[in-house]
Amino acid sequence: MSRTNEAMAGKTSLGEEIVSRINQLAAISETPDNITRIFLTAEHRAAADLILSWMREAGMSAHLDAIGNVCGRYEGERPGLPCLMLGSHYDTVRDAGRWDGPLGVITAISCVADLNKRGRRLPFAIEVAGFADEEGVRFASTLLGSRAVAGTFNERVLTSKDEAGVSMREALVQFGLDPEHIGAAARVRGELLAYIELHIEQGPVLEAQGLPVGVVTAIAGATRLAARVTGMAGHAGTVPMALRRDALAGAAEIISKIEELCLTDGRGLVGTVGYIHASPGATNVIPGQVHFTIDLRAPTDVHRNRALADISRQIDAIAKRRNLELRLDVTHENRTVPCAPWLKAQVEQAVSAEGYPVFELPSGAGHDGMAMVDIADVAMVFVRCRGGISHHPDEHVEVADADAGARVLLRLIENFRPNS
Ligand SMILES: [Zn+2]
């Protein structure tokens, strides 16, 4: 039966079911008029319980693991087979959109429900992971859920505290979990055949291409730096222009240079200065010191590292010419995670079998696959979102695109062949 006939016969498409659940989950929030679902809060727990119920309804056994991940398992042709793991996260940023994270979890559950309805069992198990914390809003440490599953959770973060002074250890206990058992959430390589995540693109590329879905090539690595420019504070009226060592004017030229180098790169380099602070910060004082951040991403590590070296050299020259002192400290670095070629090829086949042109793009944003790659090969499917808007209440996915994503994922699951 064609899609149109199905709709006419009153059947709900996968997309419609997914959107209805996205809306149900979006209603579970810290405040009624926006979407905020932070790690280990009451609404986080309510969301977990709702997802667990959907998993059970879809024919999966389901439980909450020691970090708060929602874990569902649909057995294969016989119990105990290695699994294809699908997943994404169910926490949100503050004042979030409804699709970032939940779309991947809900779509995966809908695919399993569809198999279950047809009594279809595959030569492998399917597991769906709803990761508890990807965004890292509460404890300023990201990928907590997937790191626990990958066995790379750093126990030291248990002592980190949120804004209210509650430690992660205390919050886990309040949630009903045992922090001593986080190690038990870890899986090993042999249990997973692959990890596949469907996620909204969070950028405008698919929309510009007129395509509902895209095949991710890699999750771009990132380097974040703290920059400090030191000059000399002085009186805004008495120090002649030629004698000034204005840290803010210098920082402005440096920031423009970073933008220019990224703009002219042409190979996917992106750089952002998202924070700046000038001191002493008075109208009539020449700024003596400026702190700002740099976030640099590129599709490969080699590219990013080369770009970083080039940027450092060029902005250092600007500082020298202006008689300023520039200090750069790397505060965060994560490597690029390429999607496994064998797995990406299967994503491409599924996209093409559903009648869409195969379009490849890198992910500029970080995802749970960055942690999962330690125990499994990873691949990602991107779904178009309106205007590329994300981490914002206006984040939006059309029903037809949610449906396209689900059909691609379902076909991918049904045709999945482990790497031989
Ligand atoms: Zn996300």
Side-chain angles (χ1 to χ4, degrees):
M1 208 189 297
S2 76
R3 300 275 143 195
T4 337
N5 288 345
E6 271 182 19
M8 282 162 69
K11 278 191 199 167
T12 318
S13 73
L14 283 172
E16 283 165 309
E17 179 185 82
I18 289 163
V19 172
S20 148
R21 286 183 166 177
I22 285 281
N23 292 336
Q24 287 176 61
L25 206 57
I28 304 175
S29 168
E30 191 177 293
T31 47
D33 41 357
N34 65 10
I35 305 170
T36 301
R37 211 164 44 243
I38 308 295
F39 186 43
L40 303 177
T41 56
E43 47 283 357
H44 193 241
R45 179 66 210 228
D49 289 339
L50 183 58
I51 299 168
L52 284 168
S53 75
W54 290 335
M55 285 176 165
R56 293 186 182 121
E57 208 179 294
M60 284 183 263
S61 59
H63 71 280
L64 213 55
D65 75 7
I67 191 78
N69 294 325
V70 185
C71 311
R73 183 174 164 97
Y74 181 73
E75 294 293 349
E77 284 161 353
R78 53 178 200 279
L81 290 168
C83 74
L84 168 62
M85 190 179 276
L86 311 169
S88 197
H89 57 99
Y90 73 98
D91 66 318
T92 71
V93 293
R94 291 198 175 277
D95 204 9
R98 54 191 62 200
W99 306 86
D100 171 10
L103 182 65
V105 182
I106 290 171
T107 302
I109 296 171
S110 288
C111 289
V112 173
D114 192 86
L115 294 173
N116 186 49
K117 227 181 322 180
R118 290 183 277 135
R120 180 103 206 262
R121 296 281 167 178
L122 299 164
F124 48 88
I126 301 169
E127 293 197 17
V128 179
F131 292 117
D133 181 294
E134 189 268 349
E135 306 283 6
V137 172
R138 185 165 179 185
F139 296 103
S141 186
T142 62
L143 304 173
L144 295 170
S146 44
R147 283 198 208 285
V149 171
T152 55
F153 182 87
N154 185 343
E155 303 258 332
R156 275 190 312 217
V157 302
L158 287 171
T159 57
S160 42
K161 291 185 173 168
D162 67 7
E163 278 174 1
V166 179
S167 73
M168 192 188 302
R169 187 184 293 279
E170 289 161 342
L172 282 162
V173 172
Q174 281 164 17
F175 195 80
L177 300 169
D178 181 354
E180 304 312 316
H181 277 101
I182 287 178
R187 308 295 297 271
V188 294
R189 188 165 274 275
E191 297 173 337
L192 272 71
L193 299 170
Y195 172 75
I196 299 177
E197 177 161 350
L198 176 141
H199 200 283
I200 59 165
E201 183 203 335
Q202 302 181 281
V205 176
L206 289 175
E207 189 172 71
Q209 292 289 326
L211 294 172
V213 289
V215 181
V216 177
T217 52
I219 305 169
T223 304
R224 290 186 194 150
L225 303 112
R228 190 186 69 192
V229 180
T230 308
M232 177 63 86
H235 195 291
T238 59
V239 185
M241 294 308 287
L243 298 180
R244 292 185 181 201
R245 294 172 61 212
D246 185 328
L248 186 50
E253 189 182 343
I254 286 169
I255 294 166
S256 298
K257 178 55 78 176
I258 294 169
E259 186 193 35
E260 179 199 315
L261 292 172
C262 292
L263 263 173
T264 52
D265 169 79
R267 292 182 299 131
L269 178 71
V270 287
T272 306
V273 173
Y275 168 89
I276 186 162
H277 178 82
S279 26
T283 314
N284 58 351
V285 182
I286 299 162
Q289 194 165 72
V290 171
H291 290 90
F292 63 93
T293 57
I294 306 170
D295 178 304
L296 198 66
R297 307 183 196 210
T300 69
D301 291 338
V302 174
H303 187 177
R304 189 181 75 255
N305 291 332
R306 275 199 196 133
L308 179 58
D310 186 32
I311 287 173
S312 304
R313 198 165 28 80
Q314 300 216 34
I315 65 179
D316 212 47
I318 294 172
K320 284 212 172 68
R321 172 166 50 75
R322 288 174 165 268
N323 197 17
L324 300 168
E325 186 199 313
L326 171 66
R327 188 191 156 114
L328 291 175
D329 288 304
V330 174
T331 53
H332 164 99
E333 190 157 42
N334 62 267
R335 65 194 193 279
T336 295
V337 172
C339 292
W342 70 273
L343 200 53
K344 187 164 73 69
Q346 294 192 30
V347 178
E348 286 168 0
Q349 283 159 16
V351 167
S352 157
E354 283 300 325
Y356 303 112
V358 172
F359 179 77
E360 295 191 345
L361 72 170
S363 172
H367 294 289
D368 288 298
M370 285 159 49
M372 293 305 292
V373 75
D374 286 330
I375 52 164
D377 283 346
V378 305
M380 289 192 75
V381 181
F382 269 171
V383 175
R384 167 170 58 189
C385 59
R386 187 176 61 198
I389 297 165
S390 185
H391 285 188
H392 189 278
D394 289 346
E395 194 179 86
H396 180 75
V397 173
E398 295 296 333
V399 181
D401 291 357
D403 195 65
R407 283 184 286 112
V408 166
L409 190 64
L410 184 57
R411 193 176 289 259
L412 182 56
I413 297 167
E414 291 199 77
N415 292 343
F416 176 73
R417 300 168 309 281
N419 194 20
S420 47

